[in-house]
């Protein structure tokens, strides 16, 4: 019995040392990979905790240092160090989360790095996250990121503590970047530009039935990505799924034309995109800012 117990203890100790060795090997492998990546790409990075390297591109300059209970809004680009996986879509790569919350779809080192190194809102940081602080040995199969892959993130932490504030920043940046004029903002946060007030005498109310043509797009990486043009059957203004569309329609008469930049809360919120052409949210990702131009061809009151 004693011999069995001794043998079991020996096996247990050997297993513990083996696990420790594997862990140390992975840590060394991650660090070597990151160091080679830094050298090959002529990067200037600071060594942080737990194998993370960081470079503050723009210091955070707004508010107090982040705490776990702060709600933050950020967008990011990410790639594996071997360049086989790259994601630069800052519409899909948008996060609204509490600093202390860990999403299973994001590496632990990501929000840790924001809190530890960037510290404040309205900043940009590059983070090189070792695999053990990313997706570990399992990787992230749905994104085709294999196991033991270190990641290169560039993160834009916005000066916003609500979805509307975040969207408003995006809309203002879009207007400025594209030198747009003539837009007005409503109390709700809707931006609109009346292109044609309408020659008809029929004013549009929430109870009006309207026939329209919708030129639909979403803001993506500072530009508008066209989704589709659709002419749905006549329907009441109140039946449109977007509160921003309902509000905007009531600013013109029959025959009018209006362009709307619609924050996601006034659009389709977090509803998942539809794959069916003609659906109100066809190819529109959750939390998207909408860019709609609406032509009103008929009004019935």
């Amino acid at each position: 019995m004693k011999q069995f117990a001794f043998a079991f203890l020996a096996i247990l100790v050997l297993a513990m040392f083996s696990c420790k060795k594997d862990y140390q090997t992975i840590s060394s492998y991650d660090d070597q990979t990151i160091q080679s990546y830094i050298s090959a790409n002529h990067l200037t990075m600071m060594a942080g905790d737990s194998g993370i390297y960081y470079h503050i591109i723009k210091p955070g300059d707004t508010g107090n240092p982040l705490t776990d209970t702060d709600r933050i809004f950020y967008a990011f680009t990410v790639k594996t160090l071997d360049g086989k996986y790259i994601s630069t879509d800052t519409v899909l790569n948008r996060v609204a989360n509490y600093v202390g919350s860990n999403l299973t779809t994001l590496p632990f080192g990501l929000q840790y790095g924001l809190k530890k190194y960037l510290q404040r809102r309205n900043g940009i940081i590059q983070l090189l996250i070792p695999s053990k602080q990313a997706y570990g040995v399992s990787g992230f199969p749905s994104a085709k990121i294999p196991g033991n892959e270190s990641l290169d993130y560039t993160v834009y932490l916005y000066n916003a503590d609500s979805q509307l504030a975040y969207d408003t920043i995006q809309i203002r940046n879009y207007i400025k970047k594209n030198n747009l004029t003539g837009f007005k903002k409503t109390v709700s946060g809707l931006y609109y530009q009346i292109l044609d007030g309408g020659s008809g005498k029929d004013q549009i109310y929430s109870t009006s039935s309207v026939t329209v043509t919708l030129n639909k797009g979403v803001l993506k990486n500072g530009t508008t990505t066209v989704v589709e043009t659709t002419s749905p059957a006549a329907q009441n203004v109140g039946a449109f799924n977007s509160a921003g569309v309902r509000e905007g329609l009531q600013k013109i008469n029959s025959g009018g034309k209006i362009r709307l930049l619609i924050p996601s809360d006034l659009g389709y919120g977090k509803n998942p995109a539809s794959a069916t052409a003609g659906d109100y949210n066809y190819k529109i990702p959750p939390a998207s800012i909408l860019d709609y131009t609406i032509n009103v061809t008929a009004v019935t009151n």
Side-chain angles (χ1 to χ4, degrees), residues 198-297:
S199 57
K201 296 182 180 180
D202 292 315
Q203 186 175 345
I204 299 175
Y205 303 97
S206 61
T207 55
S208 300
S209 175
V210 295
T211 303
V212 301
T213 297
L214 292 168
N215 295 297
K216 302 165 68 175
V218 296
L219 296 196
K220 182 177 180 179
N221 298 332
T223 61
T224 293
T225 298
V226 177
V227 175
E228 67 172 347
T229 298
T230 182
S231 299
Q235 60 181 309
N236 284 347
V237 170
F240 284 90
N241 296 86
S242 164
V245 170
R246 297 195 296 269
E247 182 179 358
L249 281 171
Q250 296 177 66
K251 295 189 176 297
I252 54 177
N253 294 343
S254 57
K257 183 177 181 180
I258 191 169
R259 183 178 180 186
L260 306 173
L261 299 177
I262 306 173
S264 59
D265 283 352
L266 300 178
Y268 307 129
K270 297 181 179 179
N271 292 348
S274 167
T276 304
D279 281 357
Y280 72 90
N281 57 342
Y282 173 59
K283 289 187 176 180
I284 297 176
S288 287
I289 299 170
L290 309 179
D291 183 355
Y292 278 15
T293 298
I294 307 175
N295 290 277
V296 179
T297 56

Side-chain angles (χ1 to χ4, degrees), residues 4-22 24:
F4 175 79
F6 179 79
F8 178 77
L9 180 61
I11 292 171
L12 181 61
V13 171
L14 179 62
M16 290 174 63
F17 274 102
S18 296
C19 290
K20 183 177 181 181
K21 182 178 179 181
D22 288 344
Q24 289 174 333

